[in-house]
């Protein structure tokens, strides 16, 4: 069972370079999310897509763009990477657009480690 | 500003001890979830609590949602080394554009044999 798949797993970028983190889920989920995780900060929401065709900003959207390519795929783009974007990035998905619940669980990918030097 | 504050941030205990992790907020949430995360992996859902005052048990783990739905606690009885990990609470709220989860900073638990 693939679940939520993120690529790449590890990436080192130079300041100013651009890159796209790819995410795909095979569970036919409607909602997809991008989070970043930093020490002592928990997970912070960057962007989310409640359903195919919609995207919205989360808590920390500056410096990022997203594309909900289709129901399966939700990509995160860094146009001009900065050292402050060094982090672990998690993609997640959820079946429905309603609140998380026992029947509407969020599933996370394994994370993408990004270092900007 | 962290909307959800967890305490303690770090906890190192001996096998067999009991512990409690707290998750507090000034905001009301529709539901609250607890996750456990191991190194190199994404968070995995442990439980969802929805009703104020609700208590749920998962083997040696007891989760409680505050009456006002602003806080929660996780109590582990007789901790084992396999309980070691990062525990995250997350509050769910409904936004006009969809539902969102806000995470606490996490509690890193180490259970020593």
């Amino acid at each position: 069972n693939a679940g939520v798949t993120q690529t790449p797993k590890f990436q080192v970028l130079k300041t100013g370079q651009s890159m796209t983190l790819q995410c795909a889920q095979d569970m036919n989920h409607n909602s997809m999310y991008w989070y970043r995780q930093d020490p002592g900060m928990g997970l912070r929401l960057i962007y989310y897509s409640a359903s195919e065709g919609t995207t919205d900003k989360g808590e920390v959207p500056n410096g990022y763009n997203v594309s909900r390519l289709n129901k399966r795929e939700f990509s995160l783009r860094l146009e001009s990477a900065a050292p402050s974007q060094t982090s672990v990035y998690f993609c997640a998905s959820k079946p429905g657009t309603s609140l998380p619940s026992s029947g509407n669980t969020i599933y996370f990918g394994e994370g993408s480690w990004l270092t900007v030097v | 500003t962290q909307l959800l504050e967890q305490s303690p941030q770090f906890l190192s205990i001996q096998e067999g001890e009991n512990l409690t992790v707290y998750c507090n907020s000034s905001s009301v949430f529709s539901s609250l979830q607890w996750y456990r995360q191991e190194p190199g992996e994404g968070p995995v859902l442990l439980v969802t609590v929805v009703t104020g005052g609700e208590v749920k048990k998962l083997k040696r783990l007891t989760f409680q949602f505050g009456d006002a739905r602003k806080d929660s606690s996780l109590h582990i009885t007789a901790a084992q080394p396999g309980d070691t990990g990062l525990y995250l609470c997350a509050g769910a709220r409904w936004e006009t554009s969809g539902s969102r989860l806000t995470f606490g900073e996490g509690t890193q638990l180490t259970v020593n044999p």
Side-chain angles (χ1 to χ4, degrees):
Chain A
N1 295 332
V4 180
T5 304
Q6 296 179 227
T7 56
K9 183 90 170 178
F10 299 98
Q11 182 74 48
V12 179
L13 285 178
K14 293 183 179 179
T15 297
Q17 285 185 320
S18 62
M19 78 158 295
T20 300
L21 295 174
Q22 307 286 355
C23 175
Q25 50 89 11
D26 61 0
M27 298 174 282
N28 200 36
H29 286 176
N30 286 298
S31 300
M32 297 187 73
Y33 306 83
W34 275 105
Y35 288 89
R36 61 177 287 175
Q37 186 174 32
D38 303 289
M41 300 292 289
L43 282 91
R44 291 182 292 169
L45 182 63
I46 305 171
Y47 270 94
Y48 65 106
S49 172
S51 59
E52 185 180 359
T54 69
T55 60
D56 284 283
K57 295 178 180 180
E59 302 167 61
V60 288
N62 292 343
Y64 305 95
N65 283 301
V66 290
S67 295
R68 183 76 183 264
L69 304 170
N70 47 55
K71 192 172 185 179
R72 288 186 66 248
E73 298 171 287
F74 188 39
S75 62
L76 178 72
R77 183 160 178 84
L78 287 69
E79 291 291 351
S80 179
S84 62
Q85 294 178 303
T86 293
S87 188
V88 183
Y89 291 84
F90 287 96
C91 178
S93 71
K94 179 165 66 64
T97 57
S98 58
L99 290 167
S101 66
S102 298
N104 196 23
T105 299
I106 288 184
Y107 294 87
F108 285 84
E110 294 188 333
S112 297
W113 273 253
L114 176 65
T115 301
V116 183
V117 298
Chain B
T1 302
Q2 200 72 24
L3 196 58
L4 270 172
E5 295 192 353
Q6 282 186 241
S7 60
Q9 274 196 293
F10 300 94
L11 191 55
S12 181
I13 61 172
Q14 294 300 120
E15 183 175 1
E17 293 183 0
N18 302 331
L19 66 111
T20 302
V21 176
Y22 298 94
C23 178
N24 295 299
S25 175
S26 57
S27 299
V28 175
F29 292 100
S30 299
S31 65
L32 198 135
Q33 300 188 315
W34 285 92
Y35 291 80
R36 181 171 161 223
Q37 184 179 16
E38 301 202 26
E41 299 181 7
V44 175
L45 179 68
L46 293 173
V47 77
T48 301
V49 284
V50 179
T51 307
E54 183 176 4
V55 177
K56 279 192 175 179
K57 292 191 175 183
L58 189 66
K59 296 183 180 178
R60 293 176 293 100
L61 279 61
T62 301
F63 305 86
Q64 185 164 7
F65 201 11
D67 291 339
R69 291 187 289 133
K70 293 182 179 181
D71 54 82
S72 181
S73 63
L74 157 61
H75 183 78
I76 301 180
T77 303
Q80 299 176 0
D83 295 327
T84 294
L86 179 68
Y87 289 83
L88 295 156
C89 66
R93 292 182 301 173
W94 184 255
E95 306 279 341
T96 52
S97 51
S99 62
R100 289 173 54 166
L101 269 186
T102 300
F103 282 83
E105 316 99 313
T107 295
Q108 182 62 53
L109 171 65
T110 303
V111 182
N112 302 298

